[in-house]
Amino acid sequence: MRPCYRPPPMQDGIQRLLLSLLKCGDFEEAANAALQAMLRSAEEALDASPHARRGRILRGTVHLRPGEGYLRLAARDARPGAGRPAEGDEDVELALLTSTTAWRSVVTHRCAVALDANAGTVRPLAVSAAPEATRDAGPAAAMFHSPDSRQRMLGRSASHVLVLPLRAPGGGIDGLISLEADCPAAMGTDFIWGELAPSLQWLADVAAPYLMNLPVRPVRTAAPDAFLPVVGAAMSHLLPVMRVFARQDETLLISGPTGAGKSRLARWCHEHSRQQQGPFETLDLMTVPEDLQAAELFGWKKGAFTGAVRDTVGAVARAEGGTLFIDEIDKLSLKTQAAMLHVLEERTYRVLGEDTRERRANVRFVIGTNADLKGAVREGRFREDLYYRLNVLPIRLPALDDRQDEVAPWARYMADRRHRQRVPHGGVGLTPEAERRLASASWPGNLRQLDNIIRRAYALALSRQGEDAREVRIEEEHVVQALAYDGAPGARAPVMERLHAAAEALVDAVERCEGPVDLDLTDAFRGFVLGVASQRFGREEAFKRFGREKLVTTRNHHRALRREVERIEALGRALGLEQPSPFQELLAEGETPSKASPAT
C-alpha cells in the first residue's frame, strides 16, 4: 500500500526558496526559482499519491499583471533544467489560454483555486494560512467561466490546474502562478492540489515581492517596422508579451490614455497575428450614437428600422477572417454589451432585421479603452461578465510622458512622413536643440499632441525656408513657437495664457492685412473650440460638454457645427488665407439622418 504523502516541513521549503531568491537579479530568475520549488513539491506529492502511475506534472507559469495590464510571463516545464523565457515560448502561449477562467476565479475567490478541465469545474481551496477573507472559501465547485479555456486545456492534456494568487501588500492581486497536470483518472477530484495548496501558497507569498519588484531582464530593442516605427525602453519590455498576445485568438484589451497610440498598436498586433492576411477594421464607438451601436457592429437589412433604406454590412462581417479593433469600449450601451458578450462567447451574431439566421464570427477582437472599466463595473455602467471576458490579455500602453526616450524619434518620424507627402525625394531634419526642447516638454495629449506640434513647427519652417524647399530644417525657434500655441514652452501654461497666445496669433494675422478686419468675425473662435472638442471627444460629446445637448437630441448639431466652420472660413478669407478650415474632415463625415432606435 502506497504511503500517504506528507509534505516536507514548510519552514525548510521556504528557507530553500529564500536562499535562491536572494541570488536573483531579475524577474526571470525569480520566476524560475519559484516554479522550480513548486514543481518539485508537486512531483513529490504525485509520486506518493494513488495517481502516480497515471498522472504527470506538466509545467508552471508565472503571470505578472499588476494594475491594468500584463507586465511579464515566464514558464518552466516540469522536466529538470527546462526553464524557458516567455518570448517565443509555446508553453507560455498555451498557458495563457487558461487566463479567462483562472484570472476571474482567483480575483473572485481571492485564494487558490483548482480547475478540473474534464469535469469543467472550478473549486476554491480553503487555505488556512491565507488572510481572513480567504478562510471562508468552501468546497463548492462552479463551472468554467469560459468554454474556450476548458477546450484548450483539454487540447494540450492539462486536465488539472492549480492557480495561486500573487498577493500584494494591502490585499491586492498582482498576478498568478499556475501549475498544470495531466491525470484524466482524477476527474471530479481536486487531484493533489487540495493538500498541496497551503504550502504552495506560502511559497507564492514568499516569492511575490521578488517577482513584483525585481526588474525584468533587459531585452534587445526591437527593430522598428512600418506599424511600430519607434520603440523605446518602456515599449521594448512590453514587446515580448505583445508578440505572444498577438499570436493568440483570444480577445486583446489595450488600455491607455487618449492619443497614446492604441489604434497603431492594434494594427501592429494584427500584422503579427495569424489573421494578418485578413482585413483590419476599426470601429470607434465615440462616433456612433448609442441607438446605432448594434447596427454598426452587426449590420442591418433593408427596413430593419426607420432610415434603413438598404442592406448594410456591419463591422464584424467586414473584418471576417481578420481583426476588428473596437475603440472606446466604455461607450458601449448596456443593451449592446449583452450582444457583444454573446458574440465573444458563442462566436455567432445576428444581423438586424434577419430574425432566423445566426452568422459565424470568424474575427479576432482587439478592444481599446482609456477608461477605468473596473470602476465602470462598480458603478453599474459596464457588465461584470463582459469585463472579465475582455480582460483576458490586457496590455497597458504607457503615456508619452513615461516614454521620454521616444519623443525625439517620433518627432523625426512625423516630420519626415509629412514632408515626403509633399516632396517624395526630399528630407527633413530637426536640430539637436529642437529635439531637446521637445524632449523636455510635457505631453498630456501624448502622440496626438506631439503630431500637432510637429505639424505647426513644420509649417513654420516652410514659411521661413520656402514651400518649395526640398530639404527642410526644423529649428528650436520653430518648436518654441509651435508649443506657444498650446501655451508656454513645455505645454504647462494655464488656460488663460493659451487664450492669450491664440489672441496674439490672430492679431499678428490682422497686422499683416492691408485693410481693417471686422471684429465680429472673431466670433469664429467659438467654432475653433467646437472643432477641437469634436476632434477630441466626438461631435455629439463635444456639444453635450458645452451645454448644447438639445441640439444633439434633435440631430441639429451637425448643422450647427457646419455654421461654425463657415465662420472660421469667413475669417480666413478676411485675413487673406487660402488654407481650408482645419475641421473640414468633421464635415466630410456627413450628417447622420435621424433614425429610430433599432432592436438588438
Side-chain angles (χ1 to χ4, degrees), residues 24 34 69 77 92 155 167 194 212 279 284 288 319 408 439 441 478 482 573 581 593 596 598:
C24 296
D77 277 355
V92 173
R167 298 189 292 224
M212 296 172 191
D284 187 350
V288 181
H478 304 140
R573 288 192 295 271
S581 161

Side-chain angles (χ1 to χ4, degrees), residues 548-565:
R548 298 296 187 271
E549 189 168 0
K550 187 174 181 180
L551 290 174
V552 176
T553 303
T554 59
R555 311 303 293 173
N556 286 320
H557 61 297
H558 305 284
R559 191 175 298 110
L561 182 58
R562 183 176 295 278
R563 285 198 302 269
E564 298 296 344
V565 172

Side-chain angles (χ1 to χ4, degrees), residues 225-344:
D225 57 33
F227 304 98
L228 202 59
V230 176
V231 178
M235 294 300 294
S236 289
H237 289 306
L238 285 178
L239 277 183
V241 176
M242 285 161 42
R243 287 196 190 96
V244 174
F245 283 8
R247 292 191 291 266
Q248 309 310 308
D249 296 324
E250 285 279 12
T251 302
L252 174 59
L253 176 64
I254 304 176
S255 62
T258 299
K262 295 188 289 293
S263 59
R264 181 181 288 276
L265 184 57
R267 182 60 188 267
W268 182 91
C269 288
H270 169 73
E271 295 298 328
H272 290 78
S273 73
R274 299 185 180 98
Q275 297 83 13
Q276 60 180 282
Q277 300 302 321
F280 177 81
E281 287 287 331
T282 295
L283 178 62
D284 187 350
L285 292 174
M286 181 71 81
T287 65
V288 181
E290 283 193 3
D291 57 350
L292 294 178
Q293 289 174 347
E296 291 291 341
L297 271 170
F298 308 125
W300 63 83
K301 305 295 287 184
K302 179 180 178 181
F305 51 88
T306 303
V309 296
R310 64 180 182 276
D311 292 355
T312 301
V313 177
V316 174
R318 294 196 305 272
E320 179 72 13
T323 300
L324 175 58
F325 174 53
I326 304 177
D327 201 7
E328 307 285 357
I329 193 67
D330 54 292
K331 301 298 186 294
L332 202 64
S333 69
L334 286 170
K335 189 176 184 180
T336 313
Q337 286 176 34
M340 187 72 202
L341 180 64
H342 176 82
V343 74
L344 289 175

Side-chain angles (χ1 to χ4, degrees), residues 351-424:
V351 174
L352 273 68
E354 197 171 66
D355 296 332
T356 59
R357 178 187 171 195
E358 281 208 332
R359 305 192 184 193
R360 295 292 301 174
N362 178 25
V363 175
R364 199 283 174 87
F365 290 93
V366 179
I367 308 298
T369 184
N370 61 4
D372 177 11
L373 291 184
K374 199 169 184 179
V377 170
R378 288 193 298 267
E379 296 170 4
R381 295 183 290 107
F382 205 83
R383 292 177 61 117
E384 184 178 27
D385 48 6
L386 179 58
Y387 167 75
Y388 281 109
R389 195 64 188 80
L390 297 177
N391 199 36
V392 180
L393 305 179
I395 283 285
R396 175 71 180 180
L397 190 57
L400 186 58
D401 280 342
D402 297 325
R403 296 147 55 192
Q404 282 290 331
D405 60 331
E406 293 188 11
V407 173
W410 272 115
R412 290 194 294 270
Y413 169 79
M414 293 168 177
D416 184 70
R417 181 188 59 178
R418 191 160 308 285
H419 187 57
R420 289 184 184 277
Q421 290 174 350
R422 299 180 64 259
V423 187

Side-chain angles (χ1 to χ4, degrees), residues 171-191:
I173 296 179
D174 281 353
L176 59 88
I177 296 178
S178 62
L179 302 180
E180 302 175 46
D182 176 23
C183 190
M187 176 178 172
T189 74
D190 289 335
F191 186 46

Side-chain angles (χ1 to χ4, degrees), residues 86-143:
E87 184 175 358
D89 187 350
E90 182 180 356
D91 286 343
V92 173
E93 294 190 34
L94 292 171
L96 276 171
L97 301 178
T98 65
S99 291
T100 305
T101 293
W103 178 250
R104 182 172 181 178
S105 300
V106 162
V107 171
T108 300
H109 298 291
R110 310 193 72 77
C111 67
V113 294
L115 312 182
D116 185 335
N118 286 303
T121 58
V122 179
R123 186 185 301 275
L125 300 175
V127 178
S128 59
E132 289 295 332
T134 71
R135 291 182 185 175
D136 295 331
M143 300 306 292

